Amino acid sequence: MLVRDYMTKHPLMVQPTMSIVDAQRFMGENNIRHLPIVGDGKRLLGLVTRQTLLVDPGRLGSLDVWEITRCLAGLTVQDVMVKAEHVIIVEQNATIEEAARIMVEKKIGCLLVVDDGVVTGVITEIDLLARLMEMMAARVPGVRVTVRQPNVSGELAKLVGAIAAQGWGIRALGGTPTPKDPSKWDVVVKVSNVPKDEIVAALRKVDGQEVVDVREV
Amino acid sequence: MSTELEWITEVDDHRIKTPVLQVEDVAISYETRKGDVPAVRDVSFDILRGEAHSIVGESGCGKSTVAFGIVNFLGRNGRIVNGRILFQGQDLVGRPQEELRRIRGDRIAMVYQDPMQALNPSMRLGDQMSEVLIVHRGMEKKAAEEKCLEMLNRVYMPDAANVMRRYPHQISGGQQQRVVIAMALLNDPALLIMDEPTTALDVTVEAVVLDLIAELQRVFDTAIMYISHNLGVVARVSTKVGVMYAGEIVERATVKDVYLRPYHPYTQGLMRCVPRLGMDKRSSFLYPIPGRVPSPANLPPGCVFEPRCDYSREECRLKRPALRAIEPRHWVRCHFAEEVAQMGWEPPEEVLADLATPAEFDRTAEPILKVSRAKTYYEAPSKKLLSREKLYVKAVDDVSIEVIKGETLGIVGESGCGKSTLVKTVIGMEKPTAGEFEFMGVDISTPVSKRDLSIIRELQMVFQNPDSTLNPSFTVGMQIGRALRRFKTVPKDHVRAEVMRLLNMMKLGELYYDRLPRQLSGGEKQRVGIARAIAARPELVLCDEPVSALDVSVQAAVLNLLMEIQAELGTTMIFIAHDLSVVRFFCDHIAVMYLGQIAEIGLAEAIYSPPYHPYTEALLSAVPIPDPSVEQKSIRLSGNVPSALNPPSGCRFHTRCPRKLGDVCETAAPPCQHMTDEHRIHCHIPLEELREMEMVVSIAG
């Protein structure tokens, strides 16, 4: 589960001399929000996002339409891009949770994957959400049960043991601290091809744990 | 988004499917003194991220021109006259060189057919590889070399660290191609264009390289444009294919659809002229496509395939068909594709009349050629300066074969196995070191210069490369006539008439009498070569890869011609080829050679079904087969044919044998085991075990 496995390789990239008018159209046509600017050898020079393309009116001499056109025509992406040293990047050997942490902390939706100064890919929030979806086996039909258990070690083993004792397989498993109650832990398990009632019955028997949500998906 | 973009191979992929490459209505012309030559017209296709897309077609169909158009290597007189080439969303057409370089940068890489020509012979491999990184990325030499080493290991180069220090000529063809592929991948390109990358390689090496390409495509997520003339190869590496004919794409779909439901008459024709593995000449025919690819300077006004099409109608002659979707994800350029697909195909009368029934031969007859314990050694310079010890390249070492009158013996094996040397020794071009050679009861272990004219006359040869075997300054008529005069086949005043008869027999026509070799196509040259060989009405014709250099449709025609000659004249043939389907189709007996020795010999059908020699098994599993319903075992041989200078002890195949038993293979020469009288296998594995082998190629379902 490393960034290099889930990033989009060979992202669309452009050269620093592209005019911002072209860049704007390029991003629109290809439906992308982040455009790495690279020099020879795919070396990262900067990043253009939709925001950086919003030209600061302070740069314009006046709001005269000819003046605006003249100003825009002369601008290239290297004039407006976020310079390489300020671009937030991640290494391709980082874990995906590390990528997620950076994105959450910086409140950004996309990270450039840069290896030795060379752009090798991009990883976006969508890539990470797709992973979340796969980790929870969102597209596999089955019974999804949420179990609330004490936040002490050994509890998860009890739950898994109960499922294993029935000879069922676990399609997906994930856990997170219970909201507003740090002493508890919510675990979601997904089991396929077993009737809902049987699963609930089996999990109710687990000592000290509580089934808080059951649904067939 | 257009409908084409929905044509994705992986349903669960959420990423935006921007095609890496979009070619739209591209036309490429070459300026010549006679005006513009439209080499490529109206070509459109797209390659999605991480996808492999192939272009197939005969030579001269404009496949490479499209590739050169993409990377802008068209040369001084070539230019893109119409259309757009979008690479990662940016148009490449009509931009100045410097801007192109920046857009494309190092994001497109290309691998060419001949690896030797892509490598600098005077630089060590490590230096030329790291140069890519030093120049493009400004890397330090040390770091660049480490990266190159890592990449060489990635392409499974044996002993990579040592290879870095070698020169290109010191490694084999398969390894050279690996270096070229590794070099192309060093910059992690988004698009990799491969122009017939395995055509120059042996089947066994080809299979390994194809596996490698498929794996690298997955790992690097690189889009691949794969150019080939071989549909089997295409099926192994790619999912989609465009069939090109005379500069246009005539059909485009997934490989499976094209193979199982070809709509365009040209695609159908191509399928009919390639022998499938397992076909033989007694149960099936090859139907060559009549005519030849039109010159781009002189195209028919309507459909470009109309002059060669069996379904041609008035409309085809007048109106150019457009590439249209006949099914979802299946495009075809034909006015009547639906009807054509329903009608089925019956060979036209005149074609049927031409097809000869293959000659039967008397299996009990006395062998016309008997070779026993033949050895041909070449002397090699000793490595020591002051040594009297002589080294020998044992090109043919203890080979015994017998050929019955009227039959065809096929010889297969990788290059360097001594196939050609054996044939050359028989014909007297190489001096045998030992062994008995008996032809029609006469000893022929003498070189050709000392042979009696009557023997030379009875033994003739057809060579692989017709270009280099015809004298470029003599007309066709003179070259064929020379053989007639020399052997006094006919009286002097009948020579011209006899040449005409031969030309007609070769389906060339009398007009060819005064032509020079340069005015002929490859297939026509090969026909002249065959005519020259049979001019003396020989008993035995030795064919050394006569169809390897030819396109599939021409290959079918030449094979049919050889069969016809055999039926008419009762000629015996020895046929060398590396294409196992062709050998299976054409030959009665087959000998599998490995490193100067015979591994297995027997009737064709016996060779292609178990029990196999392990080497035959590996060869068969390497044959690229386009048929998706065929299941093929995957046995890959590692390494190369060892040097014949110092062959491995015991069984020569033991260094690469996947079924090696143990020490016995290394120490003792394998015994000759007789399956039947005719079928012998040289192997230590007991017969019972060999019999239990599974079929390598089987039809699924």
Side-chain angles (χ1 to χ4, degrees):
Chain A
M1 301 266 264
L2 299 180
V3 166
R4 64 160 184 247
D5 303 320
Y6 301 113
M7 67 185 183
T8 302
K9 288 180 187 128
H10 312 297
L12 300 185
M13 304 183 272
V14 299
Q15 61 284 5
T17 52
M18 187 184 237
S19 80
I20 64 165
V21 181
D22 286 344
Q24 169 87 27
R25 198 180 54 221
F26 185 78
M27 291 169 78
E29 274 175 2
N30 293 295
N31 197 15
I32 53 172
R33 292 168 298 168
H34 305 84
L35 186 61
I37 313 298
V38 291
D40 282 352
K42 288 179 272 191
R43 205 155 276 286
L44 179 66
L45 298 177
L47 178 72
V48 166
T49 62
R50 297 249 165 120
Q51 265 155 22
T52 54
L53 287 177
L54 300 175
V55 179
D56 176 11
R59 297 177 86 134
L60 302 172
S62 77
L63 285 180
D64 174 46
V65 74
W66 300 107
E67 171 63 18
I68 295 173
T69 317
R70 189 193 63 79
C71 179
L72 286 180
L75 281 180
T76 56
V77 286
Q78 58 190 337
D79 302 325
V80 299
M81 69 189 182
V82 179
K83 295 280 188 300
E85 58 266 32
H86 302 303
V87 177
I88 300 160
I89 59 166
V90 67
E91 273 205 333
Q92 62 171 348
N93 286 327
T95 57
I96 54 169
E97 54 269 29
E98 171 71 5
R101 186 189 62 77
I102 300 174
M103 284 191 207
V104 170
E105 276 178 12
K106 307 279 182 188
K107 275 190 142 178
I108 51 172
C110 167
L111 287 174
L112 289 191
V113 186
V114 177
D115 195 23
D116 243 348
V118 174
V119 181
T120 50
V122 292
I123 187 157
T124 66
E125 57 210 328
I126 302 291
D127 291 320
L128 298 181
L129 287 174
R131 264 333 97 196
L132 175 69
M133 189 178 91
E134 293 298 326
M135 282 167 85
M136 303 310 288
R139 284 178 303 187
V140 184
V143 181
R144 177 188 190 273
V145 189
T146 312
V147 177
R148 186 159 294 168
Q149 50 180 225
N151 192 358
V152 282
S153 64
E155 289 294 322
L156 182 64
K158 270 163 54 184
L159 175 68
V160 174
I163 296 171
Q166 301 286 339
W168 301 329
I170 297 175
R171 291 314 276 268
L173 179 72
T176 165
T178 306
K180 300 186 186 99
D181 186 359
S183 67
K184 292 280 172 58
W185 190 260
D186 283 356
V187 174
V188 177
V189 277
K190 189 161 198 178
V191 179
S192 292
N193 303 327
V194 180
K196 183 172 155 186
D197 302 341
E198 280 184 35
I199 297 178
V200 176
L203 294 187
R204 288 246 161 85
K205 284 184 202 145
V206 183
D207 203 24
Q209 301 192 1
E210 179 194 356
V211 176
V212 290
D213 181 74
V214 183
R215 54 187 78 203
E216 267 177 287
V217 282
Chain B
M1 243 185 246
S2 73
T3 47
E4 294 209 1
L5 297 190
E6 290 163 16
W7 192 21
I8 51 181
T9 36
E10 239 176 87
V11 270
D12 63 345
D13 213 335
H14 58 276
R15 293 189 181 113
I16 304 167
K17 292 286 169 187
T18 313
V20 171
L21 182 77
Q22 261 174 296
V23 176
E24 291 176 6
D25 306 325
V26 162
I28 299 173
S29 287
Y30 289 106
E31 276 171 41
T32 63
R33 273 179 298 174
K34 288 178 189 160
D36 279 10
V37 174
V40 164
R41 297 165 314 281
D42 212 3
V43 165
S44 307
F45 61 94
D46 52 8
I47 306 180
L48 302 183
R49 186 188 293 284
E51 176 188 72
H53 191 295
S54 298
I55 305 281
V56 287
E58 290 175 86
S59 45
C61 280
K63 309 183 294 283
S64 297
T65 303
V66 173
F68 288 141
I70 294 166
V71 291
N72 197 27
F73 285 168
L74 284 172
R76 207 167 276 190
N77 63 340
R79 65 196 167 89
I80 299 171
V81 287
N82 185 32
R84 299 202 298 167
I85 296 176
L86 293 171
F87 171 66
Q88 292 206 314
Q90 297 195 69
D91 198 349
L92 300 180
V93 177
R95 289 196 194 240
Q97 198 58 250
E98 174 59 21
E99 214 177 311
L100 262 183
R101 191 187 64 78
R102 253 187 316 211
I103 294 176
R104 206 172 46 214
D106 39 19
R107 286 185 262 163
I108 301 181
M110 195 155 173
V111 173
Y112 301 91
Q113 177 167 0
D114 188 351
M116 193 58 201
Q117 293 190 352
L119 294 169
N120 185 339
S122 64
M123 272 175 91
R124 288 179 199 273
L125 291 163
D127 291 342
Q128 40 186 314
M129 282 183 78
S130 47
E131 194 182 65
V132 175
L133 291 170
I134 294 168
V135 170
H136 275 292
R137 294 210 175 161
M139 268 175 132
E140 294 287 320
K141 191 166 165 52
K142 190 102 204 257
E145 275 176 1
E146 265 169 37
K147 185 118 193 174
C148 294
L149 191 60
E150 190 192 318
M151 192 56 84
L152 279 181
N153 283 320
R154 262 261 169 66
V155 297
Y156 303 111
M157 174 70 81
D159 196 13
N162 260 320
V163 167
M164 296 269 288
R165 287 198 295 275
R166 290 197 202 152
Y167 288 97
H169 68 268
Q170 292 171 314
I171 57 175
S172 71
Q175 287 175 330
Q176 284 171 359
Q177 198 60 291
R178 270 168 215 247
V179 171
V180 174
I181 292 172
M183 229 158 133
L185 288 172
L186 274 177
N187 279 318
D188 192 15
L191 175 67
L192 184 58
I193 300 175
M194 307 189 109
D195 190 354
E196 309 245 14
T198 59
T199 308
L201 306 176
D202 265 323
V203 262
T204 51
V205 183
E206 175 180 78
V208 180
V209 171
L210 290 179
D211 288 353
L212 174 70
I213 293 171
E215 187 198 321
L216 293 175
Q217 182 208 349
R218 278 196 307 275
V219 175
F220 288 87
D221 219 2
T222 307
I224 294 181
M225 175 174 163
Y226 196 98
I227 296 173
S228 179
H229 65 275
N230 185 333
L231 206 59
V233 169
V234 162
R236 211 174 253 180
V237 288
S238 64
T239 40
K240 296 175 204 165
V241 59
V243 181
M244 272 191 91
Y245 178 75
E248 292 178 4
I249 286 193
V250 292
E251 186 158 6
R252 187 171 167 244
T254 58
V255 174
K256 207 172 156 192
D257 282 345
V258 166
Y259 187 83
L260 294 177
R261 286 195 307 279
Y263 277 103
H264 197 278
Y266 175 64
T267 322
Q268 295 176 355
L270 277 185
M271 306 282 175
R272 281 192 294 267
C273 62
V274 210
R276 298 186 183 174
L277 195 65
M279 268 169 64
D280 68 47
K281 59 184 171 186
R282 293 184 212 288
S283 60
S284 47
F285 291 111
L286 298 180
Y287 301 103
I289 305 173
R292 63 158 112 165
V293 184
S295 138
N298 196 8
L299 289 170
C303 171
V304 278
F305 188 60
E306 181 272 321
R308 300 173 77 186
C309 183
D310 291 328
Y311 306 95
S312 147
R313 299 181 193 173
E314 188 63 24
E315 195 178 341
C316 304
R317 258 185 293 280
L318 303 173
K319 213 173 92 193
R320 229 181 118 233
L323 193 67
R324 60 195 172 95
I326 189 160
E327 273 177 34
R329 297 164 203 176
H330 199 143
W331 291 266
V332 67
R333 192 188 287 277
C334 177
H335 291 303
F336 305 106
E338 292 90 346
E339 287 175 49
V340 166
Q342 276 179 10
M343 266 168 18
W345 187 81
E346 286 292 319
E349 294 283 311
E350 65 269 22
V351 174
L352 272 183
D354 275 356
L355 291 171
T357 18
E360 284 297 333
F361 65 96
D362 183 7
R363 286 202 184 156
T364 54
E366 275 293 294
I368 184 170
L369 177 75
K370 259 195 204 164
V371 175
S372 53
R373 315 211 71 119
K375 287 180 181 165
T376 309
Y377 293 176
Y378 296 107
E379 209 170 291
S382 169
K383 285 195 178 145
K384 291 178 197 134
L385 196 60
L386 293 172
S387 155
R388 287 284 176 84
E389 179 200 7
K390 278 185 178 162
L391 294 173
Y392 293 100
V393 175
K394 296 172 181 169
V396 174
D397 202 7
D398 200 5
V399 167
S400 306
I401 49 168
E402 285 182 359
V403 187
I404 302 167
K405 185 173 165 48
E407 76 154 343
T408 311
L409 171 75
I411 303 180
V412 292
E414 289 166 278
S415 45
C417 281
K419 309 184 294 280
S420 294
T421 309
L422 176 64
V423 165
K424 282 182 188 161
T425 313
V426 168
I427 206 159
M429 280 155 62
E430 300 292 349
K431 194 171 163 289
T433 314
E436 284 158 31
F437 296 74
E438 197 184 306
F439 174 68
M440 297 171 83
V442 186
D443 174 42
I444 52 159
S445 55
T446 45
V448 73
S449 55
K450 300 214 175 87
R451 284 188 191 173
D452 194 65
L453 198 63
S454 61
I455 292 290
I456 297 174
R457 182 181 151 171
E458 298 298 345
L459 269 169
Q460 288 291 319
M461 190 152 173
V462 179
F463 297 89
Q464 173 170 9
N465 191 343
D467 284 302
S468 53
T469 49
L470 295 181
N471 189 331
S473 50
F474 280 16
T475 62
V476 166
M478 279 162 81
Q479 302 203 39
I480 301 174
R482 189 167 175 272
L484 292 172
R485 279 187 204 98
R486 174 115 173 82
F487 296 122
K488 304 190 180 68
T489 320
V490 288
K492 263 192 188 142
D493 47 334
H494 282 79
V495 167
R496 192 181 166 88
E498 177 68 10
V499 172
M500 292 302 184
R501 196 185 67 83
L502 282 166
L503 284 175
N504 281 327
M505 194 170 160
M506 296 299 133
K507 306 198 174 61
L508 285 173
E510 299 179 359
L511 281 174
Y512 282 78
Y513 188 91
D514 291 318
R515 294 218 185 152
L516 288 168
R518 65 181 158 81
Q519 293 167 311
L520 308 180
S521 72
E524 286 166 349
K525 278 182 218 161
Q526 196 55 287
R527 282 166 205 240
V528 173
I530 294 170
R532 193 175 54 178
I534 63 160
R537 299 185 193 155
E539 274 297 326
L540 179 63
V541 177
L542 308 167
C543 309
D544 188 358
E545 307 246 13
V547 293
S548 307
L550 306 177
D551 269 320
V552 280
S553 66
V554 182
Q555 170 183 310
V558 170
L559 285 177
N560 281 349
L561 181 68
L562 284 172
M563 273 160 56
E564 208 179 309
I565 291 166
Q566 199 170 27
E568 209 162 299
L569 308 177
T571 318
T572 315
M573 286 188 193
I574 294 182
F575 186 90
I576 298 180
H578 64 263
D579 185 333
L580 276 92
S581 329
V582 169
V583 175
R584 168 77 177 93
F585 176 80
F586 191 69
C587 302
D588 305 302
H589 277 86
I590 292 173
V592 181
M593 274 187 86
Y594 184 76
L595 206 55
Q597 293 185 329
I598 285 187
E600 183 174 2
I601 187 167
L603 279 171
E605 54 268 30
I607 299 280
Y608 284 74
S609 55
Y612 303 113
H613 186 280
Y615 181 58
T616 317
E617 192 187 17
L619 280 182
L620 283 173
S621 86
V623 182
I625 298 175
D627 191 340
S629 65
V630 164
E631 267 179 33
Q632 195 176 17
K633 273 208 277 181
S634 168
I635 303 163
R636 299 286 180 262
L637 293 182
S638 56
N640 303 293
V641 183
S643 160
L645 197 60
N646 191 10
S649 58
C651 171
R652 293 194 172 176
F653 188 51
H654 82 251
T655 50
R656 299 166 80 200
C657 183
R659 292 182 182 266
K660 187 179 157 187
L661 288 176
D663 287 346
V664 62
C665 297
E666 287 173 35
T667 49
C672 171
Q673 311 193 64
H674 284 267
M675 291 290 146
T676 58
D677 277 354
E678 288 175 299
H679 188 189
R680 24 182 245 265
I681 295 180
H682 293 255
C683 186
H684 285 293
I685 302 173
L687 277 184
E688 300 74 53
E689 224 168 285
L690 289 174
R691 281 210 181 91
E692 279 164 21
M693 282 176 160
E694 287 169 39
M695 281 291 268
V696 173
V697 181
S698 50
I699 311 266

